[in-house]
Amino acid sequence: MARTETSARPCADQAQPYDVFAKACPSRSTLEHITGRWGSLTLGALSENTLRFNELRRRVDGVSEKMLSQTLHALERDGLVHREAAATNPPRVDYRLTPLGHAVAERLLALIDLVEERMPEVLAAREAYDARGGR
Amino acid sequence: MARTETSARPCADQAQPYDVFAKACPSRSTLEHITGRWGSLTLGALSENTLRFNELRRRVDGVSEKMLSQTLHALERDGLVHREAAATNPPRVDYRLTPLGHAVAERLLALIDLVEERMPEVLAAREAYDARGGR
DNA sequence: CAGCATCCCACAGGATACTG
DNA sequence: CAGTATCCTGTGGGATGCTG
């Protein structure tokens, strides 16, 4: 509707300033941080609680130290996650969502919940697809 | 909330049969097809219109022939996209969302719209982050 | 505990060419 | 037009080791 089929590619016009469909638009990289393999799960985990680094690692099953660290940096840079370090010994660092992060996570969780709910349909579709030999 | 902190990892219990946070759960691969780099944009494009292969290529700026083909196969297998081929010459193939695909795309677009709307905040956060030297 | 630095490899994904 | 097949590269991401 709003998004016109003939919109200019370079991502900037007055009606729709940021268009994720345009290759060069910064909104695309942001969306990728959010929906990426680890980004989505990290945001989902933090939507429930403030968590520490290793708590997150356990919650997001299968994430490596390196990827979690990298993911958190990207989300922090985009203003979705806030990092709070206490200079104690042993060190304690808490990660929590910013207001913007919460808004994003809310929509993301709506999607995740839907996917989880509808998995039986997805699995049935996969079986049917495979049964007829991938066509 | 409902999601308990101590949920069993193997993805199956009666209250929450499919848990995307569990490494081995099939819902995770489905979520990745949906939120993946090309999956999200493909679903977004198809939520507006039925599109043909090359129309999709133009709409999803930057996608290669190979990746679009691969993405469409995955989405079709998961029961999100329906492929309709007319045996004419030249051939004509239309891709459209299934009802499940529409439900998914609706939530996905809600997320995409939010991201596009809030990009000014994101960009401001990035500048601030970079200005203080990445901390 | 919270993490950066390094090494290394598998695979995502682009470019090109070919087919029905 | 609507793809598949092949080749090749960049990088996502795991394993390991070290620091404050």
Side-chain angles (χ1 to χ4, degrees):
Chain A
M1 338 149 271
R3 204 190 299 284
T4 143
E5 203 57 23
T6 52
S7 73
R9 236 68 263 256
C11 165
D13 64 37
Q14 29 275 70
Q16 184 72 48
Y18 295 101
D19 178 9
V20 99
F21 286 93
K23 185 158 64 171
C25 189
S27 64
R28 189 126 140 190
S29 66
T30 304
L31 184 67
E32 277 165 20
H33 295 156
I34 293 168
T35 63
R37 188 161 175 202
W38 304 120
S40 57
L41 297 175
T42 301
L43 288 171
L46 288 176
S47 73
E48 303 161 359
N49 293 301
T50 292
L51 291 174
R52 304 174 60 177
F53 190 83
N54 281 314
E55 288 173 336
L56 263 172
R57 272 199 74 185
R58 261 161 288 156
R59 189 72 225 284
V60 180
D61 192 19
V63 69
S64 71
E65 203 173 78
K66 177 183 163 184
M67 290 319 298
L68 181 57
S69 172
Q70 206 167 288
T71 300
L72 285 168
H73 278 313
L75 295 177
E76 193 192 349
R77 190 169 103 101
D78 285 354
L80 303 172
V81 163
H82 178 75
R83 177 182 188 278
E84 192 145 14
T88 57
N89 193 316
R92 178 195 180 91
V93 181
D94 289 287
Y95 290 95
R96 57 184 173 76
L97 296 185
T98 62
L100 178 56
H102 267 109
V104 167
E106 189 182 344
R107 310 252 175 141
L108 191 58
L109 280 183
L111 177 62
I112 290 178
D113 288 346
L114 179 69
V115 170
E116 289 179 345
E117 272 168 34
R118 304 280 220 124
M119 274 310 290
E121 282 174 70
V122 170
L123 295 180
R126 286 187 183 175
E127 277 189 56
Y129 183 91
D130 293 345
R132 66 175 188 268
R135 267 176 325 110
Chain B
M1 300 188 302
R3 205 191 301 282
T4 144
E5 204 57 25
T6 51
S7 72
R9 238 69 262 257
C11 163
D13 64 37
Q14 31 274 70
Q16 184 74 47
Y18 296 101
D19 179 8
V20 98
F21 286 93
K23 184 158 62 170
C25 190
S27 63
R28 194 176 223 171
S29 66
T30 303
L31 185 67
E32 277 165 21
H33 295 157
I34 293 167
T35 61
R37 188 160 173 203
W38 304 120
S40 57
L41 298 176
T42 301
L43 289 171
L46 288 177
S47 73
E48 303 162 0
N49 293 301
T50 291
L51 291 174
R52 304 173 59 178
F53 190 84
N54 281 314
E55 287 173 336
L56 264 170
R57 272 200 75 185
R58 259 162 286 151
R59 187 73 225 285
V60 180
D61 193 18
V63 70
S64 70
E65 213 170 69
K66 177 183 163 184
M67 290 319 296
L68 180 57
S69 172
Q70 206 167 287
T71 300
L72 285 168
H73 279 313
L75 295 177
E76 192 193 349
R77 190 169 106 99
D78 285 355
L80 303 172
V81 163
H82 178 74
R83 179 183 188 277
E84 192 145 14
T88 59
N89 192 316
R92 176 193 182 91
V93 180
D94 289 287
Y95 290 94
R96 58 185 173 74
L97 296 185
T98 62
L100 178 56
H102 267 110
V104 166
E106 189 183 342
R107 310 252 176 140
L108 191 58
L109 281 182
L111 176 63
I112 290 178
D113 288 346
L114 179 69
V115 170
E116 290 180 344
E117 271 167 36
R118 304 279 220 124
M119 275 310 290
E121 281 174 69
V122 170
L123 295 180
R126 286 187 182 175
E127 276 190 57
Y129 183 91
D130 293 344
R132 65 176 187 268
R135 267 175 326 108

